[in-house]
């Protein structure tokens, strides 16, 4: 009897170990991901570091132009916020670039250089300068804030997540002080493309008809293989079937594999 009981317990243990997924299994990432001690580092995290570095390369100098060329105290205040905020973010992004082995640019891109040129060429202490300053910087910060929110939501790298959170705080502060100048023209869709930003999908649209009820949850980039979520229901059902089979097998082993009538004859 004890031998048969041991056989039942062993069979159940083997079946359950085969049916239950291993808790230590690591999610599979594509070749564009690298594993770090802080979590997987993917394209979105690398792109964020590059964009933050680029922002510092032109928005810090733009803040200094605001202090030098504007007669508006609110523009000057915005300039100080830009200088201080990007000095902090620039130091941190350079540190993260070294830690996570991400190459970072050393000069602003062509568009950013063009915006600096606009401010440089605008007359000092003029309304024209103040408008260029407020609108170009407000447009850039609005686009960056949206991008940071997407990265913050999707990343599984703790360093990137924490840095994205801090970047969002600094960028929101800059948006607020720029809007406080009273120079932001929200109807100028060339300088402040708010309508285009609001309408732009996070992922490419498909030809399928849109659902009747809009989704409340934004579509964010996926940073890991989530196929396990779709298979969880099937795994539970398989586990139930295997456990039932183990129970039937245990009963069979317990009774010695013989019908009840054969036992009576032996007795």
């Amino acid at each position: 009897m004890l031998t048969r009981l041991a056989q039942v317990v062993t069979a159940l243990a083997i079946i359950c170990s085969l049916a239950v997924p291993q808790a230590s299994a690591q999610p599979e990432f594509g070749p564009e991901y690298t594993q770090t001690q802080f979590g997987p580092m993917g394209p979105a995290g690398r792109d964020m570091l590059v964009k933050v570095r680029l922002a510092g390369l032109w928005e810090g100098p733009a803040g200094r132009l605001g202090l030098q060329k504007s007669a508006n105290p609110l523009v000057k205040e915005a300039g100080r916020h830009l200088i201080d905020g990007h000095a902090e973010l620039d130091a941190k992004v350079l540190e993260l670039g070294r830690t996570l082995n991400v190459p970072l640019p050393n000069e602003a891109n062509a568009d950013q250089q063009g915006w600096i040129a606009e401010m440089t060429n605008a007359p000092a202490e003029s309304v024209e300068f103040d408008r260029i300053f407020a609108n170009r910087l407000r447009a850039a910060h609005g686009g960056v804030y949206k991008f940071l929110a997407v990265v913050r939501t999707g990343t599984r790298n703790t360093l990137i997540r924490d840095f994205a959170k801090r970047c969002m705080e600094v960028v929101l502060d800059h948006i607020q002080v720029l809007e406080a100048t009273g120079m932001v023209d929200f109807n100028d869709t060339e300088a402040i493309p708010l309508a285009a930003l609001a309408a732009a999908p996070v992922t490419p649209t498909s030809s399928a008809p849109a659902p009747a009820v809009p989704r409340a949850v934004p579509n964010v980039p996926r940073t890991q293989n989530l196929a396990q979520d779709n298979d969880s229901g099937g795994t539970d059902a398989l586990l139930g079937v295997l456990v039932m089979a183990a129970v039937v097998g245990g009963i069979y082993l317990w009774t010695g594999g013989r019908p009840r009538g054969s036992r009576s004859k032996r007795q």
Side-chain angles (χ1 to χ4, degrees):
M1 183 181 296
L2 291 177
T3 301
R4 292 172 183 167
L5 179 60
Q7 291 173 336
V8 172
V9 173
T10 302
L12 283 172
I14 293 173
I15 291 173
C16 290
S17 66
L18 293 174
V20 178
Q22 296 296 320
S24 60
Q26 296 295 321
E28 294 181 3
F29 297 91
E32 69 275 17
Y33 285 86
T34 56
Q35 290 293 343
T36 75
Q37 60 180 312
F38 310 102
M41 184 68 179
R46 289 189 288 270
D47 195 25
M48 188 194 80
L49 296 183
V50 171
K51 281 183 166 59
V52 172
R53 171 61 172 162
L54 284 171
L57 288 171
W58 86 276
E59 291 174 11
R64 288 189 287 274
L65 285 174
L67 285 179
Q68 297 165 6
K69 298 190 64 171
S70 180
N72 186 330
L74 295 175
V75 171
K76 289 180 177 292
E77 179 66 15
R80 281 188 284 270
H81 279 246
L82 288 166
I83 294 169
D84 294 343
H86 284 289
E88 174 195 340
L89 296 184
D90 205 47
K92 185 63 177 178
V93 77
L94 291 173
E95 176 190 338
L96 290 177
R98 291 188 295 268
T99 301
L100 297 170
N101 196 28
V102 178
L104 299 175
N106 290 317
E107 63 178 20
N109 62 32
D111 288 336
Q112 294 164 340
Q113 292 176 16
W115 300 331
I116 287 290
E118 283 186 275
M119 297 180 199
T120 302
N121 296 330
E125 300 186 358
S126 67
V127 174
E128 178 186 352
F129 171 83
D130 293 344
R131 285 177 177 166
I132 293 173
F133 176 91
N135 285 278
R136 293 304 187 208
L137 286 163
R138 172 59 179 80
H141 280 79
V144 168
Y145 191 81
K146 177 183 178 182
F147 170 76
L148 290 170
V150 173
V151 175
R152 169 66 181 81
T153 302
T155 185
R156 296 179 67 86
N157 185 290
T158 56
L159 288 183
I160 294 297
R161 185 183 304 124
D162 292 342
F163 187 52
K165 175 179 179 293
R166 180 55 186 156
C167 288
M168 291 177 70
E169 294 169 349
V170 172
V171 170
L172 181 58
D173 171 72
H174 292 175
I175 288 174
Q176 291 171 330
V177 294
L178 288 165
E179 291 174 349
T181 64
M183 305 303 297
V184 176
D185 182 4
F186 291 99
N187 295 317
D188 183 359
T189 55
E190 181 178 352
I192 306 291
L194 294 182
L197 284 174
V202 177
T203 57
T205 56
S206 64
S207 58
V213 179
R215 297 182 60 172
V217 179
N219 194 0
V220 299
R222 300 171 70 86
T223 58
Q224 71 174 65
N225 183 356
L226 299 180
Q228 293 177 350
D229 294 343
N230 297 328
D231 295 338
S232 61
T235 301
D236 292 342
L238 176 61
L239 179 60
V241 171
L242 291 175
V243 170
M244 181 64 71
V247 171
V248 173
I251 294 174
Y252 180 81
L253 292 172
W254 184 270
T255 59
R258 293 183 294 275
R260 185 179 301 273
S262 63
R263 285 176 170 270
S264 301
K265 291 179 180 180
R266 291 180 57 185
Q267 293 174 355

